[in-house]
Amino acid sequence: MICQLFLLLIGVSVVNSNGYMTLRFLSYINHDSRCQDGTYCDPFGLTYVGDKCDPQLRLIADRSVPGGNGLFDYQQLGVYWDTETINFGSRFGEISNPVIIAMNFQNHGHIYVTVLAVDKDPTPPDDPMDTFSAALVARADKVKRRVEMLSQPTNHKLSIEYWYSCHANYYGLDCNTFCQPQNDNVRGHYSCSSEGAKMCFTGWTGVDCTQPDPCNPSPCLNGATCSNVGGVASCTCPSGFTGSRCETDIDECKAVDSPCLNNATCENTIGSFRCKCSLGFTGERCETDVNECESETSVCLNHGTCKNTFGGFNCSCPPGLTGHRCELDVDECANGTSACANGGTCVNVFGNYTCQCDSGFTGPLCEEDIDECTESPCVNGGTCENRFGSFECICPSGFAGRVCDKDEDECLRSPCSNGGSCVNTIGNFSCLCSAGFTGSLCDEDIDECLMAPCFNESTCVNSIGNFTCQCPPGFEGRLCDKDVDECSKFPPKCRNGGNCTNTLGSFRCTCPTGLIGGHCEQDIDECKLAAPPCRNNGSCQNSFGGFSCRCGPAFRGRHCEIRAEASVGSTTGESSKLLVYILIGVGVLLIGAASVAVGIAFYRIRRSGRSNISGAENNKTVSDCAAVEQGLSNPAYMSTSEIGLQEN
């Protein structure tokens, strides 16, 4: 099967060749290898898709309608074999690309083109593929226009670029203006402008530049204007000249009315005059007032305000300056016009004055109070309070001075109580308190009793700045830490010949036989003891500190313990009594020595703690009873007793 592609370019027909169209083919794309009827190019069988298409192109251009007068017609002889895309490059088929289409007629603004493309087959007929047509603008504006066209219904695409250009000696956007330079007496003497207009050479004039120009060269002098009047030169003189050729100078200064105004001086010049203006005027005739206020350099100095007047000016000077141009200084400090406040000192400067402010003030006129507190002048934690023209530091306790920089000696106010010693420190003080007091000012009493200073179970009683210890019997001293030697006191603690032995916190009495009690003040009734002292039915008779036995006839002895013998004489009886008395004496000595040893041991025990005293006191009655019994059984016995913390 053969496919066919047509591209039709149709141009507006023009008469006579004025320009030409340049057409560059860029690319052709048959994206699906199909013909115009939708079938594939070169298939094999019913379903098999075969080779790609083999495009062959034909270009036709017309100036009126497609198929018209055959402005351009090119048929490609060769074939673009087996391709879907053609990038034309420098060739369109067998001819050069771009293609030049001559437009040898008057341009009416556009042309038409048509291009056909077929799929070339070995045997006819060839199969149409696409037909494209376009109207192209013929406008010599040096603009290249691009066109991309789609064929229907295949949507195959052809891309072209084109532009329109004028032939030589043709001008304008449509190339319809003809102009060919000439330089002879028949056709004229001219060149052509870019728009195709005739431009006469020097010395020629007229429509075709065929007539000689009498004003070229001009016979007129002094800048006069030459005019061609019927082929004759006519001179129009500028101001200041006269004569047929404007060759004569006019002296304007000799006129009745001087051309120079406002008392200016007139000076004649060739072809004119010059006015020397008075001060304050300007212009060719000094007719214009000079606005000195608009000069580049201000006539009023030092920022003075300029006001123009006719022929002059006035200056309004800023404060502090005077003079015609504000060039003089006003001494405000001398004339009393300064406004320095709050004791500020006036210092004159050119055009003004300054104020040297006292401490605490600022501002141009010293009218502003300085808030010194913003710079934190107070030290050591002082609080700054601003005052008008000054400040005040509220110092914390312990500091003084204008900025709280001085230590305050608080000790001068004797802040310490109860005899405390004051010690000054930086910004503070401390109190060294006397015994019994505490606190930052020694105004607090110390309760010494909380530290239990008293010994031996004494009672602590706190007082202002001190304490006392209430000692139990047997102790003395500030802290009840000293034992009382009761045995050295008068009257003696032990009565009836009792022997006193001091103990820790107390004393002990060693009583004679027959006595008992803490002070040996009680008589022992030996006759009432469970074991009566008189034996063998002897009759007991008690006495203070002793007893006596009345023996029966058959017995004798202190306790009636000796059986009497009838054969024994009086001598023998006396000897027996002497022996008994000796034995009793030895017993008493032994008992005394034992009592001393026991007392020493007991004293040592009492020194080790009061707890042993109470135990010994609780056993006192038992010891007394034992001693009595022992005394009754031993003729040499001497009773002892112990006193506790309380005296009887």
Side-chain angles (χ1 to χ4, degrees):
M1 180 180 293
I2 303 175
C3 297
Q4 183 178 22
L5 169 66
F6 293 94
L7 173 59
L8 175 63
L9 294 176
I10 305 170
V12 175
S13 60
V14 291
V15 178
N16 300 324
S17 178
N18 298 334
Y20 58 93
M21 183 69 72
T22 303
L23 180 61
R24 184 193 303 276
F25 288 87
L26 302 176
S27 64
Y28 164 73
I29 300 176
N30 182 340
H31 62 280
D32 53 6
S33 297
R34 292 180 182 270
C35 296
Q36 199 168 32
D37 60 2
T39 60
Y40 287 103
C41 297
D42 303 329
F44 294 94
L46 297 178
T47 61
Y48 175 74
V49 178
D51 294 336
K52 297 176 182 178
C53 300
D54 304 312
Q56 186 180 52
L57 305 178
R58 180 183 179 186
L59 170 61
I60 302 172
D62 267 324
R63 57 181 178 173
S64 56
V65 295
N69 54 23
L71 179 64
F72 188 92
D73 191 346
Y74 163 72
Q75 172 65 60
Q76 179 185 357
L77 299 178
V79 179
Y80 292 98
W81 296 106
D82 193 28
T83 182
E84 291 180 343
T85 300
I86 303 173
N87 293 312
F88 292 100
S90 63
R91 307 295 294 178
F92 178 73
E94 293 81 19
I95 63 176
S96 296
N97 187 32
V99 178
I100 304 299
I101 301 175
M103 297 175 60
N104 300 324
F105 48 84
Q106 187 173 2
N107 180 15
H108 288 169
H110 58 279
I111 64 171
Y112 295 95
V113 293
T114 300
V115 170
L116 303 175
V118 298
D119 177 53
K120 189 67 175 176
D121 284 336
T123 58
D126 298 329
D127 295 326
M129 289 194 299
D130 293 287
T131 300
F132 293 95
S133 64
L136 306 183
V137 177
R139 185 178 180 85
D141 54 6
K142 299 182 181 180
V143 175
K144 293 183 178 181
R145 294 173 172 82
R146 179 167 180 154
V147 178
E148 294 194 1
M149 297 170 286
L150 297 177
S151 69
Q152 298 299 330
T154 60
N155 286 329
H156 298 163
K157 185 168 68 174
L158 177 67
S159 298
I160 63 172
E161 183 180 57
Y162 71 93
W163 60 95
Y164 181 68
S165 305
C166 296
H167 285 301
N169 300 323
Y170 287 89
Y171 300 89
L173 293 177
D174 53 7
C175 301
N176 290 332
T177 300
F178 178 80
C179 180
Q180 184 176 9
Q182 302 294 333
N183 194 12
D184 58 56
N185 293 331
V186 177
R187 290 176 295 182
H189 304 272
Y190 60 87
S191 62
C192 299
S193 69
S194 60
E195 303 299 327
K198 296 178 180 179
M199 297 185 300
C200 295
F201 293 149
T202 301
W204 298 95
T205 186
V207 177
D208 295 324
C209 304
T210 58
Q211 300 177 5
D213 187 358
C215 291
N216 196 354
S218 176
C220 304
L221 303 176
N222 297 310
T225 302
C226 182
S227 301
N228 185 357
V229 180
V232 178
S234 175
C235 295
T236 302
C237 300
S239 176
F241 292 95
T242 188
S244 61
R245 298 178 58 199
C246 305
E247 71 278 6
T248 303
D249 173 60
I250 297 175
D251 189 352
E252 296 84 355
C253 296
K254 293 181 179 181
V256 176
D257 295 325
S258 175
C260 298
L261 304 177
N262 298 311
N263 298 321
T265 301
C266 182
E267 292 181 355
N268 186 58
T269 61
I270 299 300
S272 185
F273 62 93
R274 181 172 59 247
C275 295
K276 290 185 177 181
C277 300
S278 302
L279 185 66
F281 294 95
T282 188
E284 183 179 354
R285 300 177 62 196
C286 303
E287 75 281 5
T288 303
D289 172 60
V290 174
N291 188 348
E292 295 85 354
C293 299
E294 294 179 352
S295 62
E296 293 182 1
T297 303
S298 177
V299 292
C300 297
L301 304 178
N302 302 308
H303 305 290
T305 301
C306 181
K307 182 178 180 181
N308 187 59
T309 61
F310 189 77
F313 63 94
N314 290 325
C315 291
S316 297
C317 301
L321 296 171
T322 187
H324 179 62
R325 298 181 62 197
C326 305
E327 74 278 11
L328 301 177
D329 173 58
V330 175
D331 190 347
E332 297 85 354
C333 299
N335 62 19
T337 59
S338 69
C340 297
N342 299 309
T345 302
C346 178
V347 178
N348 187 65
V349 295
F350 186 81
N352 205 343
Y353 65 94
T354 60
C355 297
Q356 294 181 348
C357 303
D358 285 348
S359 176
F361 294 96
T362 187
L365 301 177
C366 305
E367 76 281 8
E368 299 178 13
D369 172 59
I370 295 177
D371 187 356
E372 296 86 353
C373 294
T374 59
E375 298 180 0
S376 302
C378 305
V379 297
N380 295 314
T383 300
C384 182
E385 293 185 358
N386 188 54
R387 302 284 186 265
F388 188 74
S390 184
F391 67 96
E392 181 181 358
C393 291
I394 309 301
C395 301
S397 177
F399 291 95
R402 176 169 172 74
V403 294
C404 305
D405 57 341
K406 297 179 181 179
D407 176 58
E408 180 183 4
D409 190 353
E410 297 85 354
C411 294
L412 297 177
R413 295 186 278 107
S414 301
C416 303
S417 304
N418 298 307
S421 299
C422 181
V423 178
N424 185 58
T425 60
I426 300 298
N428 208 340
F429 67 95
S430 61
C431 292
L432 302 178
C433 301
S434 302
F437 294 96
T438 188
S440 60
L441 301 177
C442 301
D443 53 352
E444 300 178 15
D445 174 58
I446 295 176
D447 188 355
E448 296 88 351
C449 293
L450 297 177
M451 297 182 289
C454 302
F455 292 93
N456 297 310
E457 299 183 0
S458 57
T459 300
C460 180
V461 179
N462 185 59
S463 60
I464 300 300
N466 207 341
F467 69 97
T468 56
C469 293
Q470 295 179 350
C471 303
F475 292 96
E476 63 182 357
R478 173 169 171 74
L479 303 178
C480 301
D481 55 344
K482 298 179 180 179
D483 176 60
V484 177
D485 188 358
E486 294 86 355
C487 295
S488 63
K489 303 294 183 180
F490 186 84
K493 296 294 182 182
C494 299
R495 304 173 188 173
N496 302 309
N499 185 23
C500 181
T501 302
N502 186 56
T503 62
L504 182 64
S506 186
F507 63 93
R508 183 176 64 251
C509 291
T510 302
C511 300
T513 303
L515 297 176
I516 197 172
H519 302 276
C520 301
E521 76 281 8
Q522 298 178 9
D523 173 58
I524 297 175
D525 189 354
E526 295 90 348
C527 297
K528 293 181 179 180
L529 298 176
C534 297
R535 303 176 182 176
N536 299 311
N537 297 320
S539 175
C540 180
Q541 185 177 357
N542 185 57
S543 62
F544 188 81
F547 65 93
S548 62
C549 293
R550 291 182 179 181
C551 304
F555 294 93
R556 58 182 181 84
R558 178 172 175 75
H559 298 283
C560 300
E561 75 279 12
I562 302 173
R563 183 176 294 276
E565 296 180 1
S567 58
V568 177
S570 59
T571 303
T572 305
E574 293 296 330
S575 299
S576 299
K577 290 181 181 179
L578 179 59
L579 179 60
V580 170
Y581 293 153
I582 293 172
L583 294 174
I584 292 172
V586 172
V588 170
L589 292 175
L590 294 174
I591 292 172
S595 298
V596 171
V598 170
I600 293 173
F602 188 78
Y603 174 75
R604 291 178 178 174
I605 293 172
R606 292 285 289 181
R607 293 284 291 182
S608 63
R610 290 287 305 276
S611 60
N612 295 333
I613 297 175
S614 299
E617 185 177 7
N618 293 334
N619 295 329
K620 178 178 66 173
T621 305
V622 177
S623 300
D624 289 344
C625 294
V628 171
E629 292 180 358
Q630 183 178 358
L632 294 177
S633 63
N634 187 350
Y637 169 77
M638 180 179 289
S639 66
T640 63
S641 65
E642 179 181 332
I643 187 169
L645 296 177
Q646 301 291 332
E647 294 184 6
N648 294 326

